[in-house]
């Protein structure tokens, strides 16, 4: 059986090469695209191997699992990203742990983050999650709602809008994904030309294991990749993974 560390190093090297190739196709340098490794289905052994291999930005989509992992992996130099639904009663415990909230999907959530960040004396970089695919199951702001919201968010002192985030629609394969990513980029470009002061729209977080190359070709500056990084490393870490799942469960 290949060693977990070796497998993870290979996966990381392959993903980084694919990212660099896609960046070159969009006339950008590889350094212009950041990799956030999504650890939600990975075990602790594999996550440690990934950080040791040089990937320091990690993302979780459930706050309780993020808290648990931030505690268990506190000895490692990790920068955490929250990439999934953040319930309002979990904001206070989450903010001090993260370097970015990528999934700000409603005005009321952002208002609550502002209030709590003020109490904690934090400044929180956020991305606004936009429902570009139009699928009812997807979270996020409707595209026409984003522009008017930016004016309001420019007033906030503890929240910094850094860009936009989306997930591609599940139907329609890569062609559909490309359209959704191009739509997010188009929205960003239009809004940026009339962007209020103290709002930055440089970041575009889009692309997962199945579609990150297309996302980079369409302008992604952050990709969120899970399964492509951890594939083949699960067999030996599933026990840890299952334990984490139970301990991290909601409710
Ligand atoms: C799980 C997840 C990802 C990564 O998905 P993979 O297909 O495993 O790469 C990216 N973004 C979000 C919001 C996720 O929940």
């Amino acid at each position: 059986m290949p060693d977990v560390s070796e497998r993870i190093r290979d996966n990381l090297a392959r993903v980084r090469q694919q990212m660099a190739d896609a960046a070159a196709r969009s006339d950008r340098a590889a350094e212009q695209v950041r990799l956030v490794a999504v650890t939600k289905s990975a075990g602790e052994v594999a996550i440690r191997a990934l950080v040791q291999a040089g990937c320091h930005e990690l993302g979780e989509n459930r706050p309780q699992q993020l808290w648990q992992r931030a505690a268990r992996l506190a000895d490692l130099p990790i920068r955490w990203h929250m990439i999934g639904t953040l319930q309002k009663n979990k904001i206070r415990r989450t903010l001090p742990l993260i370097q970015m909230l990528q999934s700000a999907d409603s005005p009321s959530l952002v208002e609550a983050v502002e209030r709590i960040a003020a109490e904690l004396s934090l400044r929180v970089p956020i991305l606004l999650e936009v429902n570009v695919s139009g699928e009812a199951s997807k979270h996020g702001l409707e595209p026409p709602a984003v522009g008017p919201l930016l004016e309001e968010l420019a007033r906030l002192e503890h929240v910094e809008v850094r860009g936009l985030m989306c997930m591609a629609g599940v139907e329609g394969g890569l062609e559909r994904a490309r359209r959704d990513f191009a739509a997010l980029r188009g929205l960003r470009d239009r809004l940026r030309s009339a962007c209020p002061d103290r709002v930055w729209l440089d970041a575009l977080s889009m692309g997962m294991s199945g579609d990150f190359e297309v996302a980079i070709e369409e302008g992604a500056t952050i990709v969120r990749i899970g399964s492509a990084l951890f594939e083949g490393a699960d067999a030996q870490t599933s026990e840890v993974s299952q334990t984490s799942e139970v301990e991290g469960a909601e409710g």
Side-chain angles (χ1 to χ4, degrees):
M1 256 196 307
D3 167 60
V4 173
S5 307
E6 205 177 300
R7 189 66 199 237
I8 292 280
R9 269 200 310 274
D10 288 352
N11 288 350
L12 179 61
R14 191 184 61 248
V15 165
R16 285 209 193 279
Q17 185 61 53
Q18 289 170 318
M19 288 174 61
D21 292 345
R25 290 196 293 277
S26 66
D27 286 320
R28 291 185 297 156
E31 304 77 62
Q32 287 175 274
V33 188
R34 274 160 73 188
L35 171 61
V36 172
V38 179
T39 48
K40 65 184 178 207
S41 318
E44 196 176 314
V45 173
I47 299 172
R48 285 185 176 276
L50 186 72
V51 176
Q52 256 140 31
C55 183
H56 298 272
E57 305 213 49
L58 306 186
E60 282 285 342
N61 69 335
R62 288 160 50 214
Q64 278 158 315
Q65 182 150 311
L66 190 149
W67 304 343
Q68 184 210 8
R69 290 197 152 166
R72 288 173 71 129
L73 302 169
D75 55 310
L76 298 177
I78 295 171
R79 298 188 290 280
W80 288 102
H81 293 247
M82 181 67 211
I83 63 167
T85 304
L86 180 58
Q87 298 83 2
K88 294 207 177 83
N89 63 357
K90 302 198 173 75
I91 295 173
R92 187 177 301 276
R93 195 161 160 193
T94 303
L95 293 188
L97 302 175
I98 59 174
Q99 89 151 24
M100 181 178 265
L101 170 63
Q102 292 205 9
S103 43
D105 59 3
S106 73
S108 67
L109 176 67
V110 180
E111 294 288 344
V113 168
E114 165 70 16
R115 184 168 47 75
I116 293 167
E119 287 173 30
L120 300 174
S121 300
L122 293 172
R123 264 180 93 80
V124 184
I126 68 167
L127 305 180
L128 298 175
E129 182 171 358
V130 184
N131 182 3
V132 280
S133 75
E135 284 175 2
S137 61
K138 288 279 189 294
H139 293 275
L141 300 155
E142 295 306 315
V146 179
L149 183 60
L150 291 181
E151 298 293 335
E152 288 174 44
L153 300 187
R155 291 183 290 103
L156 305 182
E157 297 192 353
H158 299 272
V159 166
E160 256 174 33
V161 180
R162 310 290 335 187
L164 307 179
M165 179 268 217
C166 79
M167 314 234 319
V170 285
E171 307 280 332
L174 282 180
E175 242 170 85
R176 165 65 183 280
R178 188 183 292 280
R179 251 195 298 137
D180 289 343
F181 297 145
L184 191 72
R185 188 212 172 121
L187 176 67
R188 191 282 305 268
D189 290 349
R190 286 195 299 282
L191 294 173
R192 193 157 63 172
S193 61
C195 196
D197 283 350
R198 296 166 31 75
V199 167
W200 297 265
L201 293 181
D202 302 319
L204 279 180
S205 175
M206 53 192 197
M208 322 199 316
S209 292
D211 53 23
F212 70 90
E213 293 168 279
V214 168
I216 292 170
E217 287 169 12
E218 296 301 327
T221 66
I222 301 173
V223 290
R224 309 177 309 269
I225 299 181
S227 40
L229 289 170
F230 292 106
E231 70 189 11
D234 289 343
Q236 292 154 77
T237 56
S238 59
E239 215 173 295
V240 180
S241 172
Q242 275 167 15
T243 312
S244 312
E245 284 297 339
V246 173
E247 288 172 11
E250 297 274 335

